[in-house]
Amino acid sequence: MTTKPIGPALESKKMKLKSFLLRYYPPGIMLEYEKSGELKTKSIDLLDLGPSTDVSALVEEIHQAEPLITASRAEQVKLLIQRLQEKLGQHSNHTFYLFKVLKAHILPLTNVALNKSGSCDKIATGSFDKTCKLWSVETGQCYHTFRGHRAEIVCLSFNPQSTLVATGSMDTTAKLWDIQNGEEVFTLTGHSAEIISLSFNTSGDRIITGSFDHTVIVWDADTGRKVHTLIGHCAEISSALFNWDCSLILTGSMDKTCMLWDATNGKCMATLTGHEDEILDSCFDYTGKLIATASADGTARIFSAATRKCIAKLEGHEGDISKISFNPQGNRLLTGSSDKTARIWDAQTGQCLQVLEGHTDEIFSCAFNYTGNIVITGSKDNTCRIWR
């Protein structure tokens, strides 16, 4: 449980708590409060909350650490945490069925992403045609076509606030685009080869890019300036991302390893090994406790972020696994493969629960939405399929 310090208790005299908001994934409570007439928000992250957590003890701990949570609010906080606990205890056995097929671009698709906000009403697609398109999930209508890259777009990501889309290209640059007006915000230049992976951190003030030049760059998303360059891999980078609390960066590489880096100073902390071929993708679960890796050896692995030990191996695909992601609850994994299928796995046991079939060419991108009840898959067959 972490709260951001806000100074001595007397601060609370100037601050007035207005409302609570629950955040299910990862578990936390958002506080809306008024300070000097201005409405502000802060979060109490409950990343270690589980079915067996002593809620009364946790509420007491929060009361001690957070001036806004007065004794009179303790019972309300307890009820909210119990609701979070119940939600965490619900293990989804959802079966996905095909809902819609989008014929997105003239040339092959390279990437698909759903916007991060709870509404989840937008999809971004990147293509060999050097453009990125923004679509409506419900109607399939195209809102914007982002043009400006000089080569294929190979990766893209929404910021957590769903105000920006970032695109990475074979032209060695990344660009940030405004979702509302469809215009370019700025271009990130500094890599000497193709940008193959990019993602934002949780607060949206940092963006990370991984390149075929073997390096990863951390950028300030507000100014476009470089913060760190991570050097250590001895082959092309395939994936790069932050954990939830932005303390760690995970990178995957064609050198068959993943590396964990300290996000504050850019130093390498650990190397994860075990795959027999290139690592094509890697990810954290929402709480940052688990790491998943996907490889050209046809397997995926789950590691503990704390011990860096492999705890499960996912076997069943008949080709490279190019994409892997956890559902928001952290109990399911989704993989996309060159064998034209996507699979849903149990994140604890590594057992395959469902095979999503129907694409006629390899799947290179797949993702869950914010609540975990929609899956999106993108394929070289030029279609993007929505499953729910």
Side-chain angles (χ1 to χ4, degrees), residues 116-117 158-164 179 200-205:
K116 306 284 197 299
S117 62
F158 285 94
N159 70 341
Q161 295 75 24
S162 293
T163 54
L164 300 171
I179 283 176
F200 286 90
N201 68 349
T202 309
S203 49
D205 63 346

Side-chain angles (χ1 to χ4, degrees), residues 2 45 47 202 242-248 286-287:
T2 56
D45 295 333
L47 303 186
T202 309
F242 291 89
N243 66 346
W244 172 265
D245 67 11
C246 310
S247 61
L248 296 174
Y286 260 92
T287 60

